[in-house]
């Protein structure tokens, strides 16, 4: 038995988390991902019984006795799924690129929580004169791996400063020359006198599935994945 399968069995046996029924645990984060996942869940016949914005509960039941939702920090979703504490989850591409670890199957781009990962600088900063082989930049970001890789490919030397939020502040108070952050409308950048100078990646959220759970609970998980897939396809047909 693979390591991940025995770990999954251990997690499931300990604490009576998953009992006789082949219970499915879905890991979601509050906010946009939870809201934009509701129509996908509905298509799979799943309706959460509470709204995590109004409830302090971290484990939320659904209309289906065999399905529950756990509310975790967005960047923790891959960890819960990797260790089998959740069977399935939804996480941004930004988060998945920064997460190292095996045992995660990513069958589907759900095309929700769409935005882009960008480099932004204060208005008037001459970014392109630093972005050349041998150049040097101080970058504040939550996305160290993605930022490092982006600048390495350009031969630019970067000093990376890890922040956990309010990235826009860093260049305004001299902590960094530039930031690497997620942007959707651009209004936060504008309000802080910053401009987007480069797009690094397009971001949306993906389904992540524990590989061992996919085998052990195939009969429960497969129809759910297919229902999500049908909604995503019908949404993108509507866009054309
Ligand atoms: P927290 O806000 O609690 O510090 P977080 O920033 O990781 O945590 P959210 O802001 O809820 O959590 O973001 C969750 C996910 O939504 C991100 O990982 C990303 O994929 C996506 N996202 C983040 N910002 C935007 C945005 N401006 N527009 C669209 N999607 C976004
Ligand atoms: Mg946030």
């Amino acid at each position: 038995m693979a390591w991940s399968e025995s770990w999954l069995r251990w997690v499931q046996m300990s604490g009576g988390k998953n009992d006789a029924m082949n219970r499915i645990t879905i890991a979601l984060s509050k906010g946009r991902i939870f809201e934009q996942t509701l129509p996908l869940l509905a298509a799979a016949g799943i309706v959460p019984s509470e709204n995590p914005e109004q409830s302090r509960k971290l484990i939320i039941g659904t209309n289906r006795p065999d399905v529950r939702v756990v509310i975790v920090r967005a960047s923790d979703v891959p960890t819960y799924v990797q260790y089998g504490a959740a069977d399935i989850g939804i996480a941004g591409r930004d988060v998945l690129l920064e997460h190292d670890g095996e045992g995660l199957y990513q069958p589907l781009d759900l095309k929700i929580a769409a935005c882009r990962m960008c480099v932004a600088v204060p208005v008037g900063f001459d970014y392109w004169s630093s972005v050349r082989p041998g150049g040097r930049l101080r970058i504040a970001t939550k996305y160290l791996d993605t930022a490092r890789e982006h600048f390495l490919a350009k031969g630019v030397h970067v000093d990376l400063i890890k922040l956990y939020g309010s990235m826009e502040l860093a260049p305004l108070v001299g902590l960094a020359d530039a930031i690497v952050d997620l942007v959707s409308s651009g209004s936060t950048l504008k309000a802080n006198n910053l401009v987007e100078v480069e797009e690094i990646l397009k971001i949306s959220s993906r389904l992540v599935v524990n590989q061992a759970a996919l085998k052990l609970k195939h009969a429960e998980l497969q129809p759910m994945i297919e229902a999500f897939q049908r909604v995503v396809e019908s949404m993108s047909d509507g866009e054309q």
Side-chain angles (χ1 to χ4, degrees):
M1 192 169 8
W3 174 86
S4 54
E5 261 177 68
S6 39
W7 177 268
L8 182 70
R9 284 189 201 280
W10 183 83
V11 167
Q12 291 183 348
M13 277 166 4
S14 61
K17 287 189 196 80
N18 280 313
D19 31 31
M21 251 181 324
N22 249 356
R23 175 133 75 170
I24 300 297
T25 300
I26 306 172
L28 296 177
S29 54
K30 277 206 263 195
R32 68 192 113 223
I33 290 192
F34 185 85
E35 279 158 30
Q36 296 183 32
T37 299
L38 286 175
L40 300 171
L41 291 175
I46 301 164
V47 182
S49 49
E50 279 174 87
N51 177 347
E53 302 297 342
Q54 278 140 31
S55 157
R56 286 166 182 262
K57 280 192 190 166
L58 298 175
I59 300 182
I60 295 179
T62 71
N63 61 320
R64 273 179 49 179
D66 62 329
V67 179
R68 64 181 180 172
V69 174
V70 293
I71 303 298
V72 305
R73 184 86 188 258
S75 46
D76 290 333
V77 167
T79 306
Y80 278 82
V81 176
Q82 180 187 353
Y83 288 100
D87 301 295
I88 195 165
I90 295 176
R93 184 181 180 201
D94 51 317
V95 163
L96 291 167
L97 287 170
E98 295 288 316
H99 177 86
D100 349 274
E102 292 169 6
L104 281 182
Y105 172 56
Q106 292 183 38
L108 198 54
D109 178 356
L110 299 169
K111 304 194 177 149
I112 59 170
C115 54
R116 49 196 193 275
M117 194 180 295
C118 296
V119 186
V121 299
V123 171
F125 179 81
D126 186 5
Y127 174 71
W128 294 105
S129 70
S130 308
V131 179
R132 50 174 172 77
R136 194 168 194 117
L137 273 174
R138 208 140 59 120
I139 306 278
T141 187
K142 182 159 133 184
Y143 305 104
L144 297 183
D145 291 346
T146 315
R148 185 180 298 112
E149 213 170 293
H150 175 73
F151 288 104
L152 187 67
K154 294 173 178 289
V156 179
H157 214 88
V158 283
D159 300 308
L160 292 171
I161 299 172
K162 166 95 182 185
L163 290 180
Y164 294 88
S166 302
M167 253 77 81
E168 296 83 2
L169 179 63
L172 306 181
V173 294
L175 181 60
D177 303 311
I179 61 171
V180 167
D181 199 8
L182 302 181
V183 180
S184 50
S185 70
S187 53
T188 310
L189 293 181
K190 206 166 168 202
N192 290 292
N193 224 15
L194 301 176
V195 280
E196 182 180 330
V197 281
E198 220 188 338
E199 177 177 307
I200 300 180
L201 290 167
K202 297 227 183 289
I203 301 290
S204 55
S205 288
R206 281 141 196 250
L207 199 61
V208 284
V209 186
N210 177 283
Q211 279 175 347
L214 188 60
K215 281 197 244 164
L216 297 170
K217 301 182 185 177
H218 194 262
E220 292 80 10
L221 287 173
Q222 193 59 31
M224 207 182 278
I225 297 170
E226 284 169 13
F228 289 172
Q229 187 159 17
R230 281 194 298 273
V231 186
V232 174
E233 279 166 11
S234 69
M235 286 192 315
S236 46
D237 287 350
E239 277 165 18
Q240 281 159 14

